[in-house]
Amino acid sequence: MPVAHSLRGPAPPRRAVSRQLGALLTAEAISMLGSRITFVAVPWLILVTTDSALLAGVAGFAEMLPYVLSGLIGGPIVDRVGPRPTAVTADVASLLAVAGIPLIAYCDGVSFGALLVLIALAGALRGFGDAAKRALLPRTIAAAGLSTERGTAMYDGTCRASTLVGLPLAGVLIATLGPATVLLFDALSFAVSALIIGALVRVGHADAAARAESKQQGYADALRDGFRYVRGDRLIVGVMAMLFATNLFDQAFATVFVPVWVRDGPHGPAALGVIGTAFGLGAVAGNLLYTVLAPRLPRRRTFGICFFLGGPAQLLALALTDRVWVVLATAAIAGALMSTVNPILMASVYRRIPTRLHGRVISVLIAVSWAGIPFGGLVGGWATEMLGLHTAALVAAIGYLAVTVSPFLFPAWQELDETPHPERNKAVATV
């Protein structure tokens, strides 16, 4: 089912909207590159200045809790204003917030609490902007005439490539310039993203009918519509429950376990991105392969096997060995397996949601799915200080395995292999 989209004026030529999809992917690649640098720089900045894994986790919590909450409350606003203008505004505001972090860090006498407040503001603005861009994506894919699977695979490949470049670049820049200075690269990435989307992307405005409906319905009712829709869809409920747990484990791995592994080893801060580089190489290769094979693969079986094997693999590697080559080889294999997960989920979810509800429903889905992320750093930091790195990583891996078996056990996951009929979307949306 093609996803409906709203345009102002006559429809542009197909080549023009294809260029718009390329512009959106370019903007997201640049923004994601900057975010990956921040993802490494912020916990390392806290870890080296406080020598506390727990406080590094607190910094992750301070960023990600506002990220999740702002994405949730911003959903109805995205539907009312339109994802394109919302994304541009959020990126401009993020530029100012992220640029302020190194300025605060360089000021003598500024408390740790003040730094956390600015980190939280940056996280909130980024969450708002990401919610808008995720609502903009299916409209741009549909306008370009691509299948949902192909379009979401291209998007995921773009994100994977940015991770592949961003994580090792972050390690090199941190070792060269220090963690505070490199945050300016993230601020610049938001500026470039806003410029590209504002100048080159034309789909994603809210049409008159959507604005009139939003004004008549009110903000609270619109947000309740998002929760009502999600509650009535068994597959989306299952997706949210599983991702809540796996995102918690992934956040503990990335923001606590890896920095502690680097700190306790002989490699120095330049090694911060080395695991991410190996994962990214595998993910990019896997994404290219999946983009070709996607129409011929069973969705549920592919998703279940790849998530079950690839998700906990890196945690097990950190838990069971200190050999760097084993950790890196495992990361590459995990990246290849996990490259199938996001495209399958995104394509399945986008097909199930009416376009007019994209902002509010996707924001609810992401908010619940990502609610474990703010706590991942806290739990990971506490577990590392109480149990040690290896035991904490092993416990997280066991939890990961227990959660990712659910696609094989619960009937709701069989709907991954189904294509919802347009009338189903209309019926659920009016519940």
Side-chain angles (χ1 to χ4, degrees):
M1 178 189 72
V3 181
H5 60 283
S6 61
L7 300 171
R8 291 182 175 177
R14 181 71 67 189
R15 183 175 299 175
V17 292
S18 297
R19 286 198 296 266
Q20 291 182 53
L21 176 60
L24 177 61
L25 294 180
T26 300
E28 187 67 358
I30 293 171
S31 178
M32 186 71 68
L33 180 66
S35 296
R36 288 296 177 262
I37 293 175
T38 294
F39 187 73
V40 175
V42 169
W44 184 254
L45 173 66
I46 303 303
L47 187 62
V48 297
T49 54
T50 66
D51 196 33
S52 171
L54 181 58
L55 289 182
V58 170
F61 177 86
E63 178 186 10
M64 294 310 302
L65 181 61
Y67 178 93
V68 171
L69 293 177
S70 67
L72 173 62
I73 65 178
I77 299 174
V78 171
D79 285 334
R80 180 171 180 173
V81 177
R84 175 183 172 272
T86 304
V88 173
T89 302
D91 277 353
V92 172
S94 295
L95 156 67
L96 302 176
V98 174
I101 295 176
L103 298 179
I104 289 289
Y106 280 138
C107 292
D108 294 331
V110 176
S111 67
F112 179 67
L115 183 59
L116 289 183
V117 169
L118 195 54
I119 290 173
L121 176 61
L125 292 170
R126 185 166 65 88
F128 198 53
D130 283 356
K133 291 171 187 174
R134 290 188 182 95
L136 180 58
L137 176 64
R139 306 182 189 207
T140 314
I141 290 173
L146 294 178
S147 67
T148 310
E149 286 89 352
R150 184 65 56 85
T152 54
M154 290 173 61
Y155 172 83
D156 189 63
T158 299
C159 295
R160 302 290 188 186
S162 295
T163 299
L164 174 61
V165 175
L167 292 180
L169 179 62
V172 173
L173 291 175
I174 290 171
T176 305
L177 304 175
T181 303
V182 301
L183 293 175
L184 295 176
F185 287 88
D186 189 18
L188 179 61
S189 74
F190 282 115
V192 175
S193 174
L195 181 62
I196 292 175
I197 294 176
L200 300 178
V201 178
R202 287 291 174 262
V203 299
H205 294 281
D207 58 24
R211 287 194 296 268
E213 179 189 2
S214 297
K215 291 179 181 179
Q216 181 179 8
Q217 186 178 37
Y219 175 85
D221 288 338
L223 188 59
R224 278 193 291 270
D225 267 358
F227 280 100
R228 188 180 298 118
Y229 186 97
V230 166
R231 189 173 63 246
D233 192 303
R234 297 183 308 161
L235 176 60
I236 291 181
V237 170
V239 168
M240 292 190 307
M242 186 169 75
L243 293 184
F244 173 89
T246 58
N247 280 328
L248 185 150
F249 298 134
D250 286 335
Q251 184 75 358
F253 172 82
T255 63
V256 178
F257 296 163
V258 171
V260 171
W261 177 74
V262 172
R263 183 195 64 182
D264 295 345
H267 315 292
L272 279 170
V274 69
I275 294 181
T277 301
F279 184 92
L281 286 170
V284 170
N287 180 269
L288 292 173
L289 182 62
Y290 178 74
T291 301
V292 175
L293 299 179
R296 297 190 289 274
L297 293 176
R299 299 190 197 108
R300 182 176 70 93
R301 192 178 306 167
T302 302
F303 172 86
I305 293 173
C306 290
F307 212 163
F308 182 79
L309 296 177
Q314 296 186 92
L315 289 163
L316 286 171
L318 283 188
L320 301 178
T321 182
D322 290 320
R323 296 185 177 181
V324 175
W325 72 268
V326 175
V327 173
L328 298 184
T330 303
I333 295 171
L337 292 170
M338 294 295 287
S339 67
T340 66
V341 170
N342 285 341
I344 291 174
L345 284 183
M346 292 171 66
S348 299
V349 167
Y350 282 145
R351 278 196 299 264
R352 304 173 76 84
I353 304 172
T355 301
R356 68 182 183 86
L357 298 178
H358 270 160
R360 69 198 80 170
V361 175
I362 292 173
S363 67
V364 171
L365 189 158
I366 293 174
V368 177
S369 300
W370 286 41
I373 292 179
F375 301 97
L378 291 176
V379 173
W382 173 83
T384 300
E385 293 199 345
M386 295 295 295
L387 306 174
L389 173 61
H390 295 294
T391 303
L394 180 60
V395 171
I398 293 172
Y400 214 122
L401 288 169
V403 170
T404 50
V405 76
S406 60
F408 302 105
L409 300 179
F410 298 106
W413 287 92
Q414 296 175 5
E415 296 182 31
L416 276 180
D417 291 323
E418 300 174 2
T419 300
H421 191 275
E423 294 302 318
R424 175 193 178 281
N425 282 351
K426 294 179 182 177
V428 176
T430 56
V431 171

